[in-house]
Amino acid sequence: MKKIFTLVTVVLCAMSANAQDVYNAIVDGKLASEFAAVAGESGGVANNTVNGQSVVVMNAGKATVTGVGGTTPANDTEIGGAAQQIVPGAPVEGRENTYYIESVGAWNDVNWGMKNQGDIDFWYVTGTGNPYVEMYALQNSKDGELIEGSYKADYVYYEPDGSLGMPITGLYYKFTATAKGAFKVKVWANKGNRKTFVVNAKDMKAQPLYASGYINGVNDADGKKRLLTVQEVDSVHHVYIYDAYDKMVKANEENPGTYTEEQLAEKKAECDAMAVERQYVIGNGNQNFWGWLTFDIEAGEEYWVFQHSSQIGFGGFEFHEGKTAEELISGIEGAYVYTTNFSTYEDDETGERMTWKGEKIVGAGQFTSTEEEGAIFGDYFQNVSGPSPRSNYCLLPEDVLAHSGKTHELTIAFWVSAEGFTPDQYTYAPMFTAYAQQNNPNTWPMMALQSRGPIQVNNAGWCDFLGAQHVNGKVNIYNANSWEAGDAAYNFVNNWLEDQKWHYYTAVFTDTNVKVFLDGVVKNEWNIDGVTEGQIVSGLFTNGADLKYVCLGGNQAWDWGDNDAPFRFARLMIKNTKMSAGEIKAQMLADFPGYEEYQSGTGIMGVNVTKTTTNGAIYNLAGQKVNDTYKGIIIKDGKKMINK
């Protein structure tokens, strides 16, 4: 007889504006009554040793969620040893040395526990056992020989098309509602790259879901965990799917015949198959994911949520009657902010250095990480200038310019340095470009940010950003060539990158105004009517999603012979809101606490500040801690003295 714990209670909590039903698995830092009753006094263990199953029912009005905690047979301590607990039945046709299970002598206990995810107070409960759709007894072998009377469990996993059926054991959750609507479910996953499914039990097929939240190791520039939107979670693990295929295509372009058409087609098909699977991935590598799954539900139908070969933690849910998942995502997402500090990790499978946000190197540039004393940015992207143009850049996630359609505002900001290069090596090199596709020269849609000061937008209407629209009547041009001298449309200014120091570049767009800030100060500004050709920026918003090939540091698509931008780039940020001068200055201070001293003329890299009046930490002019052996400007009793 099956031994199942079933507890039912009604929990009515404070609701958000659109949420009809809300349930929290953790209340005031303690397990909700349903889970606490299952856990009992056994330290969170359900102690179901007959069938390894524990059931918790959570009813919050029109929505009901049933958590099923199933287990797997206890592991043998020794093949064929005393712990052997699986008794085989009849053989399974077509599967060698495999039998139906007649009985299991011992199960791993089900566990409902309480955990806290680090510094963000994300509470959830967990059960045990992977969700298997079939389970058999497989005869053990050793050194190629079958062991008499020795068996272990053999499992079959769920397939998204439903062809293999639904889980019969392991951990899963069942969602139902008396009305049509959408669920937003709080979850935790130990390994985000394990496929996560929302399955309609009627046809047993997986359906679309949206994931937003946190991925271990993905932080903002200040080191705090980054709350990722649905689009950001999606981009973190999607960029590299076609990487191997792209490399093969490029190799053929450089050396025709390196790969045959059949080899390319085979690799393309392989990548396409991966792209189909990616819709079920909610994290990155073997990193933890904690956040929310949002999905649609029909009235009276049952939907199961589970992972392919792991367990998923549960923190609670909201049910929104009459809403769709897309509507909830729109409300949940809020402002879009993409940031990256170009920090990397080593891929478990390939050993390749990869960034957490999915950026990747094209050409000879590199992601650089340094722990040198006094280094301003520990991680940055270092690009190169050649030898071939349109070959060296950092490719960004394809959706970073796709989020301004509602706000009609856009901010692009980053730190940049030309250290090690002369002005003639980057005169016309664009710092930031975006196109519909690779190798799409001199056409629209496109946009570009030039280190020389101008901006270009050519996307469902174009904007020339001429002197006529400039607030000062002339466009400030940095790093000009001699042939441009005397042009009435330009005001020629000393090259801002020539000092080889770090500078902060910001471009801010609206429908009728565009500004370029250098180190937090407006250097170019245009007022445009947004209607006349030559004065249209709105296409950047309405058709921004078409700009999928987004490059940092590369003259990627134009068929001109100008070098790629050989700059260092750090702390890139893209927002679908406009930043004010005050907000830009605040961001500069957050990124680089000592930038004002650094830019003042005395704050040259290599000159360090020490202090002799206290025993506290010592800082250089960049705001980083240094040791007490550094020499430079000594601050004592309010006076500055040079110590050589």
Side-chain angles (χ1 to χ4, degrees), residues 314-334:
F314 175 80
F317 67 85
E318 296 175 4
F319 172 66
H320 297 252
E321 181 182 357
K323 294 291 183 178
T324 67
E326 287 194 354
E327 288 176 320
L328 289 189
I329 292 304
S330 175
I332 293 166
E333 295 295 277

Side-chain angles (χ1 to χ4, degrees), residues 580-614:
S580 66
E583 290 172 326
I584 293 169
K585 278 289 184 67
Q587 186 63 48
M588 291 173 65
L589 279 174
D591 288 349
F592 186 177
Y595 96 93
E596 289 177 334
E597 295 85 354
Y598 173 76
Q599 297 288 8
S600 67
T602 57
I604 303 170
M605 284 304 297
V607 178
N608 298 276
V609 174
T610 62
K611 52 185 179 180
T612 61
T613 55
T614 69

Side-chain angles (χ1 to χ4, degrees), residues 227-238:
L227 177 59
L228 300 168
T229 65
V230 168
Q231 291 87 351
E232 287 178 303
V233 170
D234 198 51
S235 67
V236 163
H237 51 265
H238 290 184

Side-chain angles (χ1 to χ4, degrees), residues 263-281:
Q263 288 174 316
L264 289 172
E266 183 178 345
K267 178 57 69 174
K268 178 66 162 51
E270 180 184 322
C271 293
D272 288 343
M274 291 173 60
V276 173
E277 292 294 312
R278 76 185 183 184
Q279 63 185 302
Y280 307 113
V281 178

Side-chain angles (χ1 to χ4, degrees), residues 342 381 383 393-394 396 414 431-432 550-554 569 572:
F342 301 106
F381 165 57
N383 202 31
Y393 49 93
C394 175
L396 304 178
F414 48 82
M431 298 182 295
F432 183 104
V550 188
C551 312
L552 187 66
F569 295 91
L572 170 66

